[in-house]
Amino acid sequence: MRSFLGRDILSLKDVERDDYFRIFRVAEELRPHAENRRNGDLLKDKTLLTAFYQPSTRTRLSTEAAMHRLGGHVLGFSDAKMTRAGDFYQESMKDTVKMLEYYGDVIAMRSHVQGAPHEAAHWASVPVINCGDGWGEHPTQVLTDLYTIWRDKGTLDGLKVLCVGDMRMRTMHSILYASSQFDMEAFVVCPPELALLDDFKAELAERSVNYREVESVEACIADADVIYMEPVVQADYTQSRVDPTAEKGATPAAYQVTRRLLHEKAKQDSIVLHSLPRMDELTTDVDSTRHARYWAEAANGVSLRMALLALVLGAVE
């Protein structure tokens, strides 16, 4: 297994089966710090720099919380408009990163530009972690999601995963890439205009990803062990910010998960994941059911990101 020391975390295309379980085992070892809300000293001499060019709640805060729980230091920005990259000068990625690498030991980056963290990694002498790049990928979120499934089910093999939402989404890309490493079948459910793109389908075929497209949630929910959700009514991820007052559509019933549907159709032990925020595709009456795992999913993000930081910075091996 390749060492994580100094390694960029840019795409789940690069992550092999054994890597996932190594990350999960380290997350389990470090988990008591997150669960007991206490800080350790494993990374007391290290600094995380967060470069978020696009809004974030859970990803940025859980990444920063992870570093604090490991005793490290955090600095960075969460609004590119307050930097020289977002004002009159429109500072280049190269110039920005060649500066940032001197201020921290690892860079966590989110951008509305697909491939931006990859470009940053090209110029940086420190590890870069992709925290979401446009419509590209979201590896730390999907690692968190798979960790949540693994903890609940005890395995990632032999599972049927219902993926419902906008298939252009970066999380959907990452989870389908990741599924190639496991004995996993995916049901893909989305409106036709939000379907998997042909070039992405070609990649999935090359990787022997086992998936099939289904017309509605109701048509396949009875077979699903995991219901993996993203909004159908979606923001434009190629923009740094989207006008919150803009008119929003409603999610058609074929792509919704409700308490009633779970009660009538779903497996007793199926679980629902959603990286959040949600719109009306996942109704709030699901929150109090035995199926809901999205709060645990959000909490698991701290332990998982603790593991990534500890691994890439060489505190564990």
Side-chain angles (χ1 to χ4, degrees), residues 157-222:
D157 292 312
L159 299 178
K160 295 184 178 181
V161 180
L162 165 53
C163 297
V164 55
D166 187 341
M167 291 302 136
R168 301 170 302 168
M169 273 291 292
R170 52 198 179 202
T171 48
M172 292 302 184
H173 295 160
S174 288
I175 197 165
L176 288 170
Y177 284 139
S179 69
S180 69
Q181 299 296 312
F182 307 101
D183 177 19
M184 189 181 286
E185 181 181 2
F187 305 126
V188 172
V189 177
C190 65
E193 65 274 15
L194 305 180
L196 297 169
L197 299 176
D198 288 341
D199 57 348
F200 184 61
K201 285 184 178 182
E203 278 197 82
L204 297 182
E206 287 179 9
R207 295 171 181 273
S208 301
V209 173
N210 183 13
Y211 77 95
R212 57 189 173 96
E213 295 172 286
V214 184
E215 63 183 11
S216 70
V217 170
E218 188 172 3
C220 58
I221 195 170

Side-chain angles (χ1 to χ4, degrees), residues 127-147:
V128 174
I129 298 175
N130 180 2
C131 292
D133 64 317
W135 294 111
E137 282 198 66
H138 199 342
T140 69
Q141 179 60 55
V142 171
L143 285 167
T144 296
D145 303 336
L146 293 173
Y147 175 52

Side-chain angles (χ1 to χ4, degrees), residues 52-57 60 77-82 111-113 235-246:
F52 275 61
Y53 293 83
Q54 193 178 42
S56 171
T57 303
R60 182 175 67 85
F77 58 85
S78 57
D79 186 351
K81 291 180 179 179
M82 301 305 294
S111 176
H112 58 288
V113 179
D236 183 353
Y237 273 65
T238 64
Q239 297 183 39
S240 58
R241 287 188 181 275
V242 177
D243 181 6
T245 64

Side-chain angles (χ1 to χ4, degrees), residues 16 23 43 71 73 101 119 124 165 181 214 220 268 285 287:
E16 298 178 355
I23 294 167
L43 294 180
H73 310 278
E101 66 180 355
E119 183 184 357
Q181 299 296 312
V214 184
C220 58
Q268 291 285 314
D285 59 5
D287 296 356

Side-chain angles (χ1 to χ4, degrees), residues 257-264 283 285-289:
V257 172
T258 66
R259 184 188 187 105
R260 180 175 180 178
L261 182 60
L262 288 166
H263 176 71
E264 293 179 353
T283 56
D285 59 5
V286 175
D287 296 356
S288 58
T289 70

